[in-house]
């Protein structure tokens, strides 16, 4: 008698006389782990958690093994270029007297699709060509494709069956469940047995975010749903900072649950999750690599095999991206950092190294959004050169866009409050919807970006600030405002020649010109080689008060990017 027949006979005996053996199989056998053809297979024998339904039974002696990458409860499946995610169910069946193995998928607990493969087909495929189209060979195994499922035929054994389902799912605002089971058919008697089930599965897009405290702090101002996801390694800490993650096991978490447990999600990230879900109905997985009070050089990866070391900032994020199988899927990365580098003249060089690492490790990236820092008093105050370097980072690649924080309220002079992060999230989400989803309104969603400054005539009493035409809307100057007992005007937001002196008396007026320019009229002419800055420093001139407006904004209220030490060119009308 063959080994295969002996196994079938043993299964039949156990089916009728399993009472005395039940405790043995339910307590000892699950501990067995075998390595087969390089795959970690976990035996699941007896005592399987099942979800009985009408017409189904619990089979107490089934034996099967799951691949190590079998889906987890709550797992997130990223969309690929075809706008669909893929659930892979792979393993081996040792109960081959069943009629078929099936995969039942539910969406919001209603049937979504069912894939089934006859176990008897395996025997017919051995030694002969199937009517299904062959895909070639993989690991010396013939591979056949069905409509959704990929069945990998293993001809090396007669007493077990290898299965592998690739089930496509859509990015929809809801949760999926998947059941793997066996069907036994004898005439009109059909019995389904669930081997295992995975719930709360979500399909959508991956967004990465990193930087320092402004991507770590904050809460969502709206109630979080159960569709947002993140992947945390709760067994490894990034660096010994008080509110960083104390880790146990890498796993999937609902954003809402992770946030309530104090894990690093961030108000900005949660706001973007909520915005994209509400505006286009696509769930988002946020992978946050931010650590507070860090300089940019600490985010640059190490060279060599320790590149993904969880003990480093860059390595921890890369490690989680690899463990979650998300590495090849993120289309967007948001970088909000710089307060700790305000005196760093090599910031652009460091960013180039970091950007090159991102593009290498995350080849699917389409856009990187850099947030220009807000004026603050929590770290070294010399902001001017750093803000200008950040503004010019967009010149490094068409994939890079720079986002302004100017004119966003609810700032406490160091960080934003929750409502401030929510507004910034709306601004960034509008860019993402336009750039990635090719939807939404494109009018005035970008921060006004100064193209050049030039004298309007030879008197050098009128100068023009010309912004890139992508603003597509008239520029607006917000009203004068009372800040700590002093009336502040738009003139307080400018400097000439980088000098922290009062220029208010030099500016007579500032008025819009067309849709993308402003004209500054002066009381007296300035030298031909004068340079101009806007919201370059942390404070109003000759004060220790953080700048809080007035601002230059577009019709959506998005502030113009700060600029520093821009040379005022000769009049364009001069020969």
């Amino acid at each position: 008698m063959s080994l295969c027949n002996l196994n079938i006979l043993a299964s039949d005996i156990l089916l009728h006389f399993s009472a005395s053996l039940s405790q043995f199989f339910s307590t000892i056998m699950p501990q067995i782990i075998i390595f087969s053809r390089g795959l970690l297979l976990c035996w699941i024998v007896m005592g399987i958690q099942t979800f009985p339904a009408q017409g189904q039974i619990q089979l107490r002696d089934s034996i099967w093994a799951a691949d190590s990458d079998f889906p987890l409860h709550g797992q997130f499946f990223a969309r690929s270029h075809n706008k669909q995610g893929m659930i892979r169910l792979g393993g081996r069946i040792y109960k081959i007297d069943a009629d078929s193995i099936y995969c039942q998928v539910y969406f919001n607990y209603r049937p979504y699709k069912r894939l089934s493969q006859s176990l008897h087909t395996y025997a017919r495929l051995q030694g002969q060509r199937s009517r299904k189209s062959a895909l070639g060979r993989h690991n010396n195994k013939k591979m056949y494709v069905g409509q959704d499922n990929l069945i990998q035929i293993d001809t090396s054994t007669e007493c077990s069956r290898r299965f592998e389902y690739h089930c496509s799912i859509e990015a929809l605002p809801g949760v999926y469940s998947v059941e793997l089971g066996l069907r036994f058919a004898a005439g009109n008697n059909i019995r389904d047995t669930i081997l295992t089930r995975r719930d709360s599965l979500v399909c959508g897009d991956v967004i990465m975010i990193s930087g320092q405290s402004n991507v770590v702090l904050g809460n969502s101002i709206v109630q979080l749903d159960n569709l947002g996801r993140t992947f945390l390694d709760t067994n490894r800490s990034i660096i010994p900072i008080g509110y960083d993650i104390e880790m146990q096991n890498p796993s999937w978490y609902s954003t809402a649950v992770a946030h309530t447990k104090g894990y690093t999600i961030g108000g900005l990230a949660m706001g973007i999750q909520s915005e994209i879900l509400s505006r286009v109905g696509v769930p988002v997985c946020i992978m946050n690599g931010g650590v507070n009070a860090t300089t940019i050089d600490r985010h640059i990866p190490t060279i060599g095999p320790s590149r993904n070391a969880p003990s480093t900032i860059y390595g921890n994020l890369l490690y989680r991206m690899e463990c979650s199988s998300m590495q090849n899927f993120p289309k967007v990365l948001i970088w909000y950092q710089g307060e700790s580098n305000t005196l760093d003249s090599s910031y652009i060089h460091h960013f180039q190294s970091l950007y090159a690492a991102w593009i290498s490790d995350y080849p699917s990236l389409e856009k990187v959004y850099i947030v220009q820092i807000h004026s603050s008093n929590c770290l070294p105050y010399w902001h001017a050169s750093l803000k200008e370097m950040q503004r010019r980072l967009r010149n490094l690649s068409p994939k890079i866009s720079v986002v302004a924080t100017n004119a966003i309220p609810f700032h406490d002079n160091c960080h934003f409050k929750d409502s401030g992060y929510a507004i910034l999230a709306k601004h960034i989400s509008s860019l993402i919807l336009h750039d990635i989803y090719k939807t939404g309104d494109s009018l005035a969603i970008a921060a006004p970006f100064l193209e050049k400054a030039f004298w309007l005539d030879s008197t050098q009493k009128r100068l023009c600030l010309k912004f890139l035409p992508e603003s597509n809307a008239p520029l607006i100057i917000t009203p004068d405002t009372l800040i700590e007992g002093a009336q502040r005007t738009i003139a307080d937001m400018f400097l000439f020649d980088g000098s922290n002196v009062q220029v208010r008396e030099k500016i007579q007026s500032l008025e819009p010109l067309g849709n993308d320019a402003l004209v500054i009229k002066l009381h007296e002419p300035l030298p031909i080689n004068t340079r101009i800055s806007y919201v370059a420093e942390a404070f109003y001139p000759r004060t220790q008060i953080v700048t809080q407006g007035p601002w230059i904004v577009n019709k959506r209220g998005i502030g113009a990017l700060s600029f520093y030490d821009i040379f005022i060119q000769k009049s364009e009308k001069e020969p």
Side-chain angles (χ1 to χ4, degrees):
M1 183 177 294
S2 69
L3 178 60
C4 180
N5 290 333
L6 285 173
N7 282 342
I8 295 175
L9 178 60
S11 296
D12 291 337
I13 294 173
L14 287 172
L15 182 61
H16 296 90
F17 304 103
S18 61
S20 61
L21 299 177
S22 178
Q23 183 177 4
F24 169 79
F25 280 102
S26 61
T27 57
I28 299 177
M29 289 297 288
Q31 309 302 319
I32 300 176
I33 298 178
I34 62 173
F35 291 85
S36 175
R37 298 182 180 273
L39 292 172
L40 177 63
L41 302 179
C42 302
W43 285 88
I44 304 177
V45 186
M46 299 301 202
I48 300 173
Q49 182 180 5
T50 58
F51 297 79
Q54 186 175 1
Q56 298 175 333
I57 65 168
Q58 299 183 51
L59 187 64
R60 304 299 296 176
D61 66 338
S62 61
I63 299 177
W64 72 290
D67 291 349
S68 60
D69 61 349
F70 204 84
L72 303 173
H73 289 294
Q75 185 165 336
F76 187 90
F77 295 87
R79 294 196 299 176
S80 61
H81 62 277
N82 66 355
K83 307 299 183 183
Q84 292 183 323
M86 191 67 69
I87 299 176
R88 179 189 171 277
L89 302 171
R92 185 171 293 278
I93 290 293
Y94 296 89
K95 181 73 176 176
I96 61 174
D97 58 338
D99 182 70
S100 61
I101 181 173
Y102 69 87
C103 167
Q104 175 68 60
V105 183
Y106 300 89
F107 178 70
N108 284 344
Y109 310 103
R110 294 183 178 182
Y112 179 77
K113 67 171 61 174
R114 182 183 176 106
L115 308 176
S116 180
Q117 174 66 45
S118 171
L119 291 175
H120 302 301
T121 305
Y122 287 86
R124 294 198 300 269
L125 289 175
Q126 293 181 20
Q128 58 182 307
R129 185 172 178 80
S130 167
R131 288 179 294 176
K132 295 181 182 287
S133 58
L135 295 180
R137 302 187 71 86
H138 175 70
N139 293 335
N140 293 320
K141 300 175 183 179
K142 286 186 178 180
M143 300 172 69
Y144 297 87
V145 66
Q147 202 168 25
D148 265 296
N149 54 315
L150 182 67
I151 302 298
Q152 192 170 344
I153 306 303
D154 189 340
T155 59
S156 63
T157 177
E158 296 180 355
C159 59
S160 66
R161 301 289 183 261
R162 169 100 181 114
F163 68 90
E164 184 169 332
Y165 284 108
H166 286 202
C167 180
S168 61
I169 56 176
E170 302 169 272
L172 297 172
V175 293
Y176 291 89
S177 300
V178 61
E179 292 175 352
L180 182 71
L182 296 175
R183 168 160 288 192
F184 296 83
N188 294 327
N189 185 16
I190 298 177
R191 304 174 301 166
D192 282 351
T193 299
I194 300 173
L195 299 177
T196 191
R197 176 173 174 139
R198 298 293 185 266
D199 292 308
S200 298
L201 311 179
V202 179
C203 178
D205 292 329
V206 185
I207 292 179
M208 302 173 65
I209 187 169
S210 192
Q212 52 185 106
S213 54
N214 273 300
V215 301
V216 172
L217 301 178
N219 302 289
S220 174
I221 64 171
V222 299
Q223 184 175 357
L224 295 174
D225 54 69
N226 66 340
L227 299 182
R229 291 289 184 272
T230 190
F231 188 85
L232 301 174
D233 177 5
T234 55
N235 193 37
R236 304 174 188 271
S237 61
I238 300 175
I239 60 171
I241 296 292
Y243 47 75
D244 287 333
I245 303 168
E246 294 187 2
M247 303 191 169
Q248 295 177 358
N249 295 300
S251 189
W252 290 101
Y253 287 82
S254 161
T255 300
V257 172
H259 178 65
T260 58
K261 291 180 177 292
Y263 297 152
T264 300
I265 306 298
L268 176 59
M270 290 185 287
I272 293 171
Q273 271 187 327
S274 298
E275 283 290 321
I276 293 179
L277 180 64
S278 64
R279 292 164 73 172
V280 293
V282 176
V284 171
C285 169
I286 286 289
M287 302 294 279
N288 194 328
V291 179
N292 67 326
T294 51
T295 54
I296 188 172
D297 55 288
R298 293 186 61 187
H299 289 262
I300 298 173
T302 57
I303 300 175
S306 61
R307 186 180 185 90
N308 64 346
S311 58
T312 67
I313 296 176
Y314 187 94
N316 186 280
L317 180 56
L318 178 58
Y319 168 80
R320 288 185 285 126
M321 293 294 288
E322 292 173 343
C323 288
S324 62
S325 300
M326 294 293 107
Q327 185 178 3
N328 294 320
F329 295 101
K331 298 178 181 178
V332 170
L333 188 148
I334 299 159
W335 175 250
Y336 189 176
Q337 188 276 339
E339 294 89 349
S340 294
N341 286 93
T342 53
L343 301 177
D344 186 0
S345 61
S346 59
Y347 191 86
I348 292 180
H349 172 72
H350 288 320
F351 181 84
Q352 287 175 317
S353 298
L354 184 57
Y355 179 77
W358 290 335
I359 296 301
S360 174
D361 289 327
Y362 310 111
S364 61
L365 276 180
E366 296 181 22
K367 290 294 295 187
V368 174
Y369 298 100
I370 299 166
V371 182
Q372 188 185 54
I373 65 170
H374 194 282
S375 299
S376 68
N377 62 6
C378 55
L379 286 167
Y381 307 142
W382 180 250
H383 292 179
S385 60
L386 176 72
K387 287 182 178 180
E388 179 61 20
M389 284 188 284
Q390 289 183 326
R391 188 179 76 95
R392 293 183 179 274
L393 287 176
R394 60 172 277 163
N395 298 329
L396 297 178
S397 169
K399 292 185 177 182
I400 296 176
S401 295
V402 183
V403 180
T405 54
N406 289 334
I408 296 179
F410 308 110
H411 194 265
D412 66 4
N413 296 336
C414 190
H415 305 100
F416 282 105
K417 299 177 182 179
D418 295 343
S419 296
Y421 288 123
I423 294 172
L424 180 57
K426 287 181 180 292
H427 292 178
I428 297 176
S429 297
S430 294
L431 294 171
I432 294 174
L433 291 175
H434 175 264
D435 297 336
I436 304 301
Y437 294 90
K438 311 302 179 185
T439 187
D441 190 356
S442 62
L443 183 64
I445 61 174
F449 183 97
L450 182 70
E451 181 181 10
K452 59 184 176 180
F454 59 91
W455 297 110
L456 286 174
D457 53 47
S458 59
T459 66
Q460 289 154 222
K461 292 179 64 176
R462 294 194 312 141
L463 66 95
C464 178
L465 301 178
K466 177 70 167 60
F467 291 80
L468 289 177
E470 61 193 29
S471 297
N472 290 324
L475 295 173
I476 300 168
I477 300 169
T478 62
D480 296 349
T481 183
L482 186 67
I483 304 294
E484 296 193 18
Q487 189 77 6
R488 296 298 174 183
T489 72
I490 191 64
D492 292 310
M493 310 302 280
F494 287 93
L495 298 176
F496 290 117
D497 292 330
S499 177
N500 191 12
V501 298
Q502 181 64 271
V503 299
R504 184 171 183 172
E505 292 79 7
K506 296 182 179 181
I507 296 178
Q508 177 180 337
S509 64
L510 194 151
E511 299 174 352
L513 177 65
N515 285 342
D516 52 13
L518 295 171
V519 174
I520 297 179
K521 294 181 180 180
L522 305 173
H523 289 291
E524 299 177 355
L526 290 176
I528 188 68
N529 59 348
T530 299
R531 296 175 181 270
I532 187 170
S533 304
Y534 168 73
V535 201
E537 289 306 330
F539 305 127
Y540 292 109
R542 296 186 297 186
T543 75
Q544 293 293 304
I545 301 173
V546 175
T547 52
Q548 303 169 52
W551 310 98
I552 300 170
V553 300
N554 62 20
K555 65 177 295 184
R556 290 186 184 271
I558 297 175
L561 290 163
S562 296
F563 53 84
Y564 171 66
D565 218 20
I566 304 301
F567 178 72
I568 304 176
Q569 304 173 23
K570 291 182 179 181
S571 171
E572 294 186 343
K573 296 180 180 179
E574 295 181 13

